[in-house]
Amino acid sequence: MAYDVWGVRGLYGSLGGGWTYLNAHVSPQVPEKVAGAVARSFRNAASVPPPEPVLGSHSRSDVGLPEGAEYPKAARVAIADLAGVMPEQVVLGPSVPALYSALVSAMRPMLRHNSSMVLNPVDRPVLSGRLQRAGVSTTWAQADLATGDLPAWQYRDIADGSTRLVSVPAAHPELGNVVGVADIVEAVREKSRAWVLVDASAYAPYRPLDLDAWGADIAAVDMAQFGGPEIAALIFRDAAMFKRLDREALELEVSPGLAGGVPAVVEHYASLVEGAAGRSSRRNRLKYSMGETTAYLNGLRDDLHTFLGTLPAVHIVGVTGEAAEDARVERIPRLAFGVRGVPSETVLDRLVTHGIVAAQTTQTQLLDDMGVADMGGAVTIAMSPFNTQNDIEQLVRTVASLA
C-alpha cells in the first residue's frame, strides 16, 4: 500500500494551526490517539476495576488494585514489540539520562578498580556525563570531523580486557548520520567482553529496532521522541544479564498515567501503513509500517539534501565540503545547516516568519570542532511521518531568500 501522508496528517490534531513543523528532535508532535490514551490513563490510574463475576483459572489476580498498576506492564510489552524482545528484558524509567545513571549504579559489582569504559563525542553530552559518574578510567573514541561519523576500526585499539562498557549512539540526533553499530560491536568483541550500550532514541522513530542485528547488549529508547509520553526504557539483550547487576538500582519509579500512553504510541507507528489483511503480530505490523514510512521519509530527506545543496551559501554540516562529499554515510531524515554570513538566529527568525518551526543546533564540542560556531551556528531540521513535499519546498524557498 502506498504511503498516505495526508491520512497520516489527519492523526495529528496539532497540525491545524498552520505551522510547518520540522523540529521533531526537540518537540515531536503528539498524535491524537496518544494524547487521548494519556488522558484516559491519568483519569483511570487510581480507580479500581470492578471484580469479575465468575472466578476461574483465567480470572484476574489483581482484584482490588488500582488500574494504573497494570500500565507499566503494558508499556514494557509495547516496547518489547518495538524492539523484538520479551517484556522481561525491558526496564522503564522517566528519561534516558536517569536510566544511564541507574545503569552505572547497577553495574557497581562489575566495575573493579582497574575497570574502564569507552565513550565518544557523538553521544549526547548529558549521557556521557551520567556514565562518567561511574568513576572508572575513560577512553574516548574520535569522530570524523568531516562527516561527524564514528569510525568502527578505532575500537580495535581502544577497547581491551579492562573495558566493561562501550557507549555509542545509533544516530546523531541532529546531523542525522547513522552510526555503524554492528561494525563497532564486532571491533569491540575482538579485544573485549565489554557490554555495548546504544542510545537508539534518535534512530528508533525512523527504523525498526533490532538488537540482534547490531549485536549490542543494551539499547536505550526515549518514547517522547515518538511523540509519546516522557517515558524511556533500557532494553537488554538477555534477561540473564540482570544476574550480574544490582537489580534494585534499576527499579525506577515511573508515572502510571504516562506509562498508560506507551502502547498507544507503538500502535500508532504500527498503523501508519496498513499491511496485508489477516492476523499479524504488532511486531510484524511495526516492521512493515515503519519500513514504508522510512522509505517515504528517505525520499524527502534526499530531496532536502539535493535542493539545499544547490544553494551556494548553504553549508550542510557533515555533508558539504570536499572532505565529506565523497563519503558514504547513511542518514536518518535529519540534518543541520547554516547560511554563510547569516547568524543562525536570523535564519530561524526568517523560517518562523514563513510559518516554519525548526530549532537551533545544539552547541557541542564535536560541532564546534566541525566549524559550526565559526559559521555563526546552525539550524537543525528533523522530519516526522506527517511532513510533505510541500514542507520541503517551502523550507528551501525560505532559505534561498537568505542565501
Side-chain angles (χ1 to χ4, degrees), residues 53-393:
V54 179
L55 297 178
S57 59
H58 297 289
S59 63
R60 291 167 56 101
S61 60
D62 56 353
V63 176
L65 293 178
E67 186 173 320
E70 291 296 304
Y71 293 165
K73 182 187 301 183
R76 285 193 294 272
V77 170
I79 294 173
D81 288 342
L82 187 68
V85 299
M86 300 301 291
E88 55 266 26
Q89 297 167 240
V90 177
V91 173
L92 299 181
S95 68
V96 173
L99 283 166
Y100 271 43
S101 293
L103 179 64
V104 166
S105 297
M107 289 184 68
R108 294 293 182 190
M110 300 172 56
L111 301 177
R112 302 178 179 86
H113 71 280
N114 62 342
S115 298
S116 65
M117 67 173 59
V118 178
L119 305 181
N120 68 87
V122 183
D123 257 328
R124 290 181 281 167
V126 64
L127 300 184
S128 298
R130 296 298 177 96
L131 295 178
Q132 286 179 290
R133 295 180 184 180
V136 300
S137 175
T138 301
T139 302
W140 287 83
Q142 299 300 315
D144 185 325
L145 297 185
T147 64
D149 195 22
L150 194 60
W153 57 262
Q154 62 186 313
Y155 285 86
R156 295 185 176 89
D157 299 323
I158 56 181
D160 57 32
S162 71
T163 308
R164 296 292 177 267
L165 185 69
V166 175
S167 175
V168 297
H172 192 288
E174 297 186 81
L175 301 186
N177 46 295
V178 175
V179 174
V181 174
D183 293 335
I184 291 175
V185 171
E186 182 180 356
V188 169
R189 295 284 185 260
E190 290 185 13
K191 296 290 185 66
S192 173
R193 298 176 63 186
W195 286 355
V196 178
L197 168 65
V198 183
D199 177 23
S201 299
Y203 178 97
Y206 302 106
R207 311 282 178 86
L209 287 180
D210 190 339
L211 267 68
D212 289 338
W214 283 339
D217 299 284
I218 312 170
V221 62
D222 182 359
M223 298 310 298
Q225 283 284 295
F226 291 81
E230 296 285 343
I231 291 282
L234 289 180
I235 305 159
F236 288 77
R237 169 182 47 78
D238 190 335
M241 296 170 64
F242 294 129
K243 296 177 181 178
R244 301 184 61 189
L245 300 172
D246 177 0
R247 189 66 172 87
E248 290 186 5
L250 289 173
E251 294 177 357
L252 302 182
E253 292 290 333
V254 296
S255 163
L258 293 178
V262 172
V265 181
V266 177
E267 187 60 37
H268 170 76
Y269 274 79
S271 305
L272 289 175
V273 180
E274 297 294 337
R279 300 181 63 181
S280 181
S281 69
R282 182 162 57 185
R283 172 64 177 173
N284 286 336
R285 289 191 295 114
L286 266 167
K287 291 171 67 176
Y288 178 79
S289 178
M290 293 190 73
E292 295 295 307
T293 303
T294 295
Y296 169 76
L297 290 177
N298 283 351
L300 296 186
R301 174 206 62 195
D302 292 345
D303 286 346
L304 181 58
H305 276 266
T306 298
F307 297 146
L308 278 183
T310 62
L311 302 177
V314 170
H315 179 93
I316 303 176
V317 184
V319 176
T320 304
E322 293 182 4
E325 64 182 7
D326 293 329
R328 294 185 177 181
V329 179
E330 184 183 359
R331 300 183 184 276
I332 57 175
R334 297 181 180 182
L335 62 80
F337 75 94
V339 180
R340 295 183 184 90
V342 183
S344 57
E345 294 85 355
T346 303
V347 178
L348 278 175
D349 288 344
R350 180 65 63 89
L351 293 178
V352 170
T353 300
H354 286 76
I356 300 170
V357 183
Q360 191 159 7
T361 304
T362 305
Q363 184 177 356
T364 65
Q365 186 61 54
L366 171 62
L367 295 181
D368 283 350
D369 292 343
M370 293 179 70
V372 171
D374 293 339
M375 70 177 183
V379 172
T380 295
I381 299 299
M383 298 182 205
S384 300
F386 54 75
N387 285 127
T388 68
Q389 188 69 37
N390 292 338
D391 298 340
I392 302 305
E393 293 173 0

